[in-house]
Amino acid sequence: MKRRDEPAIDGEGALVTVTTMFFRIVLLLMAAVPMWGQVEEGELAAGKALYAANCLICHQLNGQGTPGAFPPLAKSDFLVKDLERSIKAVCEGLSGEIVVNGRRYNNSMPPALLNDDQVASVMTYVLNSWGNGGGRVTREQVEEARRETQYPTFRALEEANRYEPLPKAAEGMKIRELARPSVHFTRLAGKKGGGDLYGLALNGDVFAIDRTNGSSRQVLWGRNYINKKLGEPFCAGLCFDSKNRMYVTVNQRNESGTLVTNEVTIFRSTTEEEGEAKEPRSWYRVAYPHGIGGFNHGVHQIAEGPDGMIYVTSGSRTDGNEEGNDPRYWKGGEHELTACIWRFDPAAEVPRLEIYARGLRNAFGFCWNDAGEMFATENGPDANAPEELNRIEKGKHYGFPYQFADWNQKAYPYTPDAPKGLEFTRPIRNLGPDGGRGKPISTFDPHSSPAGIVWLGKSFRGEYGESFLVVRFGQLVETAGDVGFDLLRIRMKEGGDAEVKVLLRPLARPLDLNVADGKIFLLEYTRSVTGKGSMGFPGRILEISF
């Protein structure tokens, strides 16, 4: 007989000892290596960056989608029911009616220009965000799903999404490709004295682009001046004032409180280094209730006016003043800081916000003519109302959310009655021949998404002088057809109406314009010239001269 403290030396005892040691080793390895299916923070960060560049514009920062147009990814039963179909949708796009969380959607989704690893990364991020159930998508899953699509390899998808040929130039116009940015730019800007062109990326990075040869260099890094604890940044405003100080507008979705808020910060550079603006610091900061659904348009363009003041557009937080049904979002419709234009005195170290004009749903771009009159483009609602060009005057109200374009009827059953005594300033009428179906129209085709606008003064020769140029980003709603994707020339007529003519079409999601040294610089956000193309790869900057 063996004592209890003697080691087992027979076959059975040896087997027990080896088995115990094996399981101990396995447990140690499991503690050192993440469990299969457990996703590390670094993986999610990579997927989040890809989501912001490729999916955010339709499905929104919080995955809520756009009601009636783009389905939610947050708590999506579509993802759970058929993950393979969701992967295929990213690889080749998706069209036709689908049902997500009990609601029908009938729009088109373009393919994302992402390789197999990137698709796996962004899908893993989506599965682990916004209340979805978690999990991991592997490269092998993506490869297998992609083989059954119309683009069986990523290379085939790339070939189908090359840069389009330059559009045919109008008479007396020259056009050339200046640069192919490596990231998606949201805004172009330049200094008052000329020199380089500047591009702003979604994350707050700023690049200087040589206007002669298109070479670029990065001059600011968003991570160095934006506080990511307030939420992922969405940056869409960039300008320089008369002292060549740089301004950047930043929106961040803050979920840390009882209600989700939109944190708005206007940064202004404080020093210069070798002629470049450096060390941006918070110049003005404010928070208001974050938009519901996909309608947090946020703060966009910023520019110095002829009066030396700084102007900023603040878009709506709703489609048409609806309350929403999520308890984490404010149900008060529009806020006093939304759907308006702000004004600041740049001489103030602690600036005071002044509301310059109200009733503007989403005025993405604005500029001034030689007479100092301000004009702004405005994006309309999901309802098929024409989109607008407005002459902006201090203290005026431009209708939203009570009235859209030239409509005399309410856009929705819940559209509120206008306050008694409130007068609206109507949009500019488009007399044609282009830019609007049916004449006259106030002002552009529904869903054509008018964006950047610039004024060409008397120094521009012939028919191009003393006129506005406007780019239209193009529709995001399939039922609208391929409206937009163009550059328009707008001449004001006596009585306040406008003559509108297409100068360039098709363009790849044109978003902004900049004028310097007698030339126009046009920003294409991506490469597709139709609503069915991908927004995955960055577009280019075109130079137009006469």
Side-chain angles (χ1 to χ4, degrees), residues 180-185 200-203 205 207 523 525 537-539:
R180 293 182 174 183
S182 59
V183 297
H184 288 89
F185 285 161
L200 172 68
L202 284 166
N203 66 354
D205 291 349
F207 296 79
L523 171 64
Y525 183 75
F537 279 3

Side-chain angles (χ1 to χ4, degrees), residues 130-201:
W130 317 308
N132 291 325
R136 176 186 275 117
V137 172
T138 67
R139 173 179 182 159
E140 290 72 24
Q141 283 177 279
V142 177
E143 286 179 340
E144 184 176 348
R146 196 191 293 273
R147 278 196 293 268
E148 298 177 6
T149 71
Q150 61 178 315
Y151 310 110
T153 64
F154 176 62
R155 179 62 181 272
L157 180 61
E158 281 187 304
E159 287 297 312
N161 285 274
R162 291 176 294 181
Y163 289 98
E164 294 286 339
L166 294 175
K168 182 180 178 180
E171 185 177 352
M173 173 188 291
K174 297 178 182 177
I175 179 171
R176 75 173 178 116
E177 181 182 293
L178 175 66
R180 293 182 174 183
S182 59
V183 297
H184 288 89
F185 285 161
T186 58
R187 192 69 67 174
L188 297 178
K191 297 179 180 178
K192 303 300 179 182
D196 288 334
L197 183 67
Y198 291 81
L200 172 68

Side-chain angles (χ1 to χ4, degrees), residues 3 42 47-48 61 87 98 103 118 152-153 172 178 204 221 241 249 257 299 310 335 397 401 447 486 529:
R3 297 195 308 268
K48 186 175 184 178
L61 192 62
I87 295 171
I98 60 173
R103 186 168 183 174
Q118 291 171 323
T153 64
L178 175 66
W221 283 258
D241 66 14
T249 62
V299 169
I310 298 295
H335 188 268
H397 196 290
H447 308 298
D486 53 19
V529 297

